[in-house]
Amino acid sequence: MKKIIGMLMGATLLLSACGTPGGGTAQNTKSQKDADTVKIGLNMELSGAVAGYGNQEKEGAELAVKEINDAGGINGKKIDLVVKDNKSDTAEAATIATSLTTSDNVIGMIGPATSGASKAASPNATKAQVPIITPSATDDSITVVNDKVQEYIFRTCFQDSFQGVILANYATDNLKAKKAVIIGDVSSDYAKGLTKSFKDTFKGEIVADEKFNAKDKDFKAILTKIKDKDFDFIYLPGYYEEAGLIIKQAREMGIEQPIIGADGFSDSKLIDIAGAENMSNIYYTAHFSEKAPASNKVKTFIETFKKEYGKTPSSFNALAYDSVYMVKAALEAEKENTSEALTKGLATLTDFEGVTGTMTMDKNHNPKKPAVVIGLENGKETSADVVNP
Amino acid sequence: MNVLQQLVNGLSLGSIYALLALGYTMVYGIIKLINFAHGEIYMLGAFIGYYVANNFGFGLVLTLLTSMIICAILGMLIEFLAYRPLRNSTRIAALITAIGVSFLLQSLMIYFVGADTRPYPQLMKNITYDLGIFQISKIQIVIIVTSLFLMLLLQFIVQQTKMGRAMRAASVDPEAAQLMGINVNYTISFTFALGSSLAAAGGVLIGLYYNSIDPMMGVAPGLKAFIAAVFGGIGIIPGAALGGFAIGIIETVVSALGFTAYRDAVVYLILIIVLLVKPSGLLGKNIKEKV
């Protein structure tokens, strides 16, 4: 027993020893000022379960860095992008946040892409006083924890609760719908947040509120139950796997009403699972669409992106691209390339024009920006409406 | 009208559980092993169906048959490599090996094909028939009819053929059966082959029904089918079929009442109650242990 306690003490000592270099920020900041380059870290899911998101964001960020460097850099200094792979692992994301701030002395970090990894990375970034911009983590509690704004954490995308509001307004204003059926995933915070904000905003009647769990496959019982009810649309907060199955089973049973969801729908697998012939009258919020350019920078962005990578950019490409430009805007506003300047610049960012919309950072470090609601007919994007908050 | 409709939904789900439960029950009946890798055979069946339908353009019947044959061989192979060397070890050793095989198959599939959900090839166009009192889709009919056909075929094999008689004999007393000239190893292999082919059929049908398969798809149905087998009385073939349909219908009813989130909990609760009241399962007989 004594041995174990001894080992634990030893381990604690070692761990705290590892922590000390993070305390030396004052010194780091000085070296940053004199540096020849602006060092920015990229903490991304480049392998593992959600590598798709990470690699797309890496492409977007690298394109932006290339453009900025070709145009002379930020405040006269070129960007040096330090890319690290967090393997879609939360612990790894936290470790990388530390190594980027302590051994690479970056002045700011972009990523991780997902909410879980971003939450894991934020304590280390806060300790090192180096800001993080996450391009795509939408969970509300990333920037505000227990009613306290995280001083060094920012994001480029809108947050989950905002999507619920947008969708409730879209149903009322654009679809003229009054009666809703909710079929919500009760096993993820993402879907629960979406359900709550929808319920708080939607003025019409909620006819039925059905629930399911992630990994469920059979929704016929729920759908049979709601089929004969009088409703105008189905609100479906959840990810594409279950949503695809629900859409397929609903359409096959003859439920033709519109189905509305959030950015969890935006994966081509949704159409594969549901079957293109069943994908009509489907609407979901997206961060970016070619069809609804949120600003006039979009056209050139799409052209350069196509030239560089030979494909059309996705939401993730666009969000990461904007994140890099937000760093540039923040540093140029403060006329200094340091972590403090970046933190201050990001917190006071106003009317920044990106490819995913014109945004102003609110007091909670969430950008106020429009969302795009995409409409599908037979699996094809047929409409894209920009909805302002 | 809704009640009948829900019954149809429950029956189509339940027939898949029944197909799987038959495999559990037969293997348990003959060597007293709960083959936890059975759910993974179901998953492999779905994937084999996916590849032959996509790469060779097989129709439904041919896809089903190919997948059933390959899985029958796989089932025998697993028995030969993993369970036969442990034939004379404790039952817990074999059980833990079965759990190990189940994890191994999942991990191998994730390694080779990735953890992604993928859409299933549409082997036939799904049409929904409105019969006035309820609706039934073509795939639901195919599932129910195929399952019933396979179950009757199995009952025929077990009751009427020589191999079936050998299976029944081996399940009563393997040593005595051996003395009577029955090759017990061969009989056990045959049992695995039969059970695995039924699981494969379930896998292909469910792939068709939901249009999505992934390497982890065997876990939940495998567990449910095991419950179904225990529910009906493990080791009893009609019990497994009854248990499968019962679990399918219970799940559907629970969802229809608005408790989807607690669906699995209710299934387990009912199982616990059945086991408390009638430990041998619904169709089980109480056999006194010989002391």
Side-chain angles (χ1 to χ4, degrees), chain A residues 138-210:
Chain A
T138 51
D139 191 331
D140 283 44
S141 66
I142 284 173
T143 50
V144 183
V145 181
N146 297 329
D147 295 328
K148 202 172 156 279
V149 179
Q150 298 286 87
E151 201 185 336
Y152 295 96
I153 318 299
F154 302 86
R155 66 174 130 214
T156 314
C157 53
F158 42 68
Q159 73 271 30
D160 288 341
S161 58
F162 171 78
Q163 296 194 64
V165 174
I166 288 283
L167 290 169
N169 290 339
Y170 186 80
T172 315
D173 302 337
N174 297 43
L175 300 178
K176 311 281 174 229
K178 289 188 181 61
K179 289 175 182 163
V181 164
I182 303 178
I183 302 179
D185 182 347
V186 285
S187 55
S188 78
D189 288 344
Y190 167 73
K192 278 193 267 186
L194 283 173
T195 311
K196 189 179 172 293
S197 61
F198 177 83
K199 276 186 181 167
D200 291 346
T201 317
F202 189 60
K203 295 280 184 305
E205 186 191 347
I206 293 171
V207 181
D209 184 2
E210 299 292 338

Side-chain angles (χ1 to χ4, degrees), chain B residues 2 11 60-61 87 113 157:
Chain B
N2 256 344
L11 275 180
L60 176 64
V61 178
R87 191 65 51 74
V113 304
I157 292 173

Side-chain angles (χ1 to χ4, degrees), chain B residues 31-34 36 83 86-100:
Chain B
I31 53 170
K32 301 282 176 287
L33 164 73
I34 295 164
F36 272 115
Y83 303 144
L86 295 168
R87 191 65 51 74
N88 295 317
S89 317
T90 51
R91 262 160 73 183
I92 194 85
L95 181 72
I96 289 171
T97 309
I99 296 172

Side-chain angles (χ1 to χ4, degrees), chain A residues 186 210-213 216-218 220-222 224-225 227-228 241 245 248-249 252-253 269 272-274, chain B residues 2 5-6 9 13 116-117 119 126 128 135 140 209-212 214 252 255-256 258 260-261 263:
Chain A
V186 285
E210 299 292 338
K211 297 172 178 66
F212 67 89
N213 281 317
D216 277 359
K217 300 246 180 206
D218 197 302
K220 294 233 154 111
I222 298 176
T224 302
K225 208 175 130 196
K227 186 170 186 277
D228 296 326
E241 256 178 51
L245 288 170
K248 177 178 161 66
Q249 292 172 19
E252 282 178 356
M253 285 172 68
K269 284 245 160 57
D272 293 342
I273 293 172
Chain B
N2 256 344
Q5 183 65 52
Q6 298 288 20
N9 297 339
L13 187 63
D116 276 358
T117 305
N126 200 11
T128 307
Q135 284 181 340
Q140 281 177 319
Y209 192 30
Y210 295 144
N211 187 28
S212 85
D214 66 281
T252 309
S255 299
T260 318
R263 192 167 66 185

Side-chain angles (χ1 to χ4, degrees), chain B residues 2-277:
Chain B
N2 256 344
V3 178
L4 272 176
Q5 183 65 52
Q6 298 288 20
L7 201 65
V8 170
N9 297 339
L11 275 180
S12 15
L13 187 63
S15 48
I16 301 289
Y17 290 152
L19 277 182
L20 271 172
L22 288 168
Y24 275 104
T25 246
M26 283 194 297
V27 168
Y28 183 84
I30 200 158
I31 53 170
K32 301 282 176 287
L33 164 73
I34 295 164
N35 179 16
F36 272 115
H38 198 60
E40 274 54 54
I41 298 282
Y42 156 87
M43 175 270 288
L44 287 173
F47 271 90
I48 292 165
Y50 175 86
Y51 281 110
V52 297
N54 267 353
N55 294 341
F56 306 115
F58 284 3
L60 176 64
V61 178
L62 215 51
T63 305
L64 260 177
L65 280 177
T66 326
S67 169
M68 284 169 77
I69 291 167
I70 296 177
C71 279
I73 297 167
L74 276 175
M76 288 194 285
L77 201 66
I78 290 170
E79 192 272 331
F80 182 75
L81 294 176
Y83 303 144
R84 192 169 295 181
L86 295 168
R87 191 65 51 74
N88 295 317
S89 317
T90 51
R91 262 160 73 183
I92 194 85
L95 181 72
I96 289 171
T97 309
I99 296 172
V101 171
S102 150
F103 284 134
L104 177 73
L105 292 176
Q106 283 164 20
S107 311
L108 282 178
M109 283 305 277
I110 290 177
Y111 183 79
F112 285 114
V113 304
D116 276 358
T117 305
R118 52 189 72 206
Y120 215 69
Q122 293 298 293
L123 295 169
M124 58 187 204
K125 185 132 181 55
N126 200 11
I127 305 162
T128 307
Y129 302 105
D130 202 333
L131 303 181
I133 41 173
F134 61 81
Q135 284 181 340
I136 189 160
S137 73
K138 205 166 159 188
I139 292 180
Q140 281 177 319
I141 297 174
V142 168
I143 288 178
I144 296 174
V145 171
T146 314
S147 307
L148 286 176
F149 171 74
L150 289 174
M151 280 177 223
L152 289 175
L153 188 67
L154 179 72
Q155 190 67 7
F156 174 78
I157 292 173
V158 172
Q159 297 298 336
Q160 307 291 330
T161 63
K162 215 169 166 186
M163 209 56 222
R165 203 174 306 147
M167 280 169 68
R168 282 181 289 145
S171 75
V172 176
D173 188 336
E175 271 147 29
Q178 198 135 26
L179 290 175
M180 292 295 124
I182 290 170
N183 186 341
V184 173
N185 274 337
Y186 184 57
T187 312
I188 293 172
S189 280
F190 183 73
T191 310
F192 269 86
L194 269 185
S196 302
S197 62
L198 292 181
V204 172
L205 291 174
I206 213 77
L208 202 60
Y209 192 30
Y210 295 144
N211 187 28
S212 85
I213 57 169
D214 66 281
M216 299 302 282
M217 68 185 275
V219 180
L223 208 54
K224 296 266 174 62
F226 166 60
I227 294 172
V230 175
F231 194 75
I234 194 153
I236 305 158
I237 287 176
L242 180 73
F245 284 119
I247 300 283
I249 292 170
I250 291 169
E251 275 199 2
T252 309
V253 169
V254 173
S255 299
L257 292 176
F259 302 108
T260 318
Y262 308 102
R263 192 167 66 185
D264 294 355
V266 173
V267 172
Y268 287 107
L269 186 72
I270 291 175
L271 176 75
I272 292 170
I273 294 169
V274 168
L275 289 181
L276 282 175
V277 179

